[in-house]
Amino acid sequence: AVSPIARDIIETASLVNGAGVGIELARAKHHANDPYFLQPMDGVDSTGYRASWWTQFYCILWRSWLSVLKDPMLVKVRLLQTAMVASLIGSIYFGQVLDQDGVMNINGSLFLFLTNMTFQNVFAVINVFSAELPVFLREKRSRLYRVDTYFLGKTIAELPLFIAVPFVFTSITYPMIGLKAGVSHYLTTLFIVTLVANVSTSFGYLISCA
């Protein structure tokens, strides 16, 4: 069955020279008082956005954060995996002393610090954007948000996890290996490992976008 609105649109289109113009006039007529229909805004043309940059960023950030919270098992698995790998590395290099063999072993443990944080975080996000590409293209073509607001909102929403993972990893391996004691030395190591993890995450985003 054809709805009354559809019949009115067909009648309006048949009276106007050009089907495209008729459809647009019919839409304007029937949706003028519809509160759920996006009306033209003052100062915004057909190529502009209907929300400010901050509004777009807030909405994308909130949606991305909810998507992270909807899958708590993934967060738990990643933290558990990090704790297990850290315990394994700490067990292999447990209790090093500062002699010739110990320094070589500490160099090997630091190499595992970097490689684990690099590859773990790259592969964790390598499918992020490709999985959401159809939704992103549809919403981008609808002028709902900019590319930069989407990227920043998506990245910042997942930032707490990419800070928690280096924290868990460093907190377990640092005392087990017997690295230099002291809060300042531990915080310096944690800061460097966190930077490596987030740079690796950014590289994973680059691969995902490509």
Side-chain angles (χ1 to χ4, degrees), residues 1-4 6-7 10:
V2 179
S3 65
R7 284 196 298 269
I10 295 175

Side-chain angles (χ1 to χ4, degrees), residues 15-79:
L15 296 177
V16 178
N17 186 15
V21 178
I23 292 176
E24 292 300 326
L25 291 176
R27 286 176 177 174
K29 175 183 176 182
H30 291 287
H31 295 287
N33 298 321
D34 190 351
Y36 300 101
F37 184 75
L38 294 177
Q39 301 294 335
M41 295 177 62
D42 295 335
V44 178
D45 56 16
S46 59
T47 61
Y49 297 93
R50 298 180 179 275
S52 64
W53 191 94
W54 286 108
T55 303
Q56 297 175 32
F57 173 73
Y58 174 78
C59 293
I60 294 296
L61 177 63
W62 181 248
R63 187 178 70 175
S64 301
W65 177 247
L66 290 180
S67 66
V68 173
L69 295 180
K70 284 193 300 184
D71 197 2
M73 183 57 65
L74 179 61
V75 177
K76 295 178 182 178
V77 168
R78 285 209 59 195
L79 294 178

Side-chain angles (χ1 to χ4, degrees), residues 110-132:
L110 295 179
F111 174 77
L112 290 179
F113 264 63
L114 299 179
T115 55
N116 181 71
M117 285 294 99
T118 300
F119 292 105
Q120 179 181 356
N121 289 283
V122 166
F123 290 113
V125 300
I126 201 168
N127 290 323
V128 168
F129 292 120
S130 58
E132 297 185 359

Side-chain angles (χ1 to χ4, degrees), residues 77-99:
V77 168
R78 285 209 59 195
L79 294 178
L80 179 61
Q81 176 188 4
T82 302
M84 293 176 63
V85 173
S87 301
L88 178 61
I89 296 176
S91 300
I92 295 174
Y93 295 97
F94 184 79
Q96 298 299 317
V97 294
L98 291 179
D99 54 14

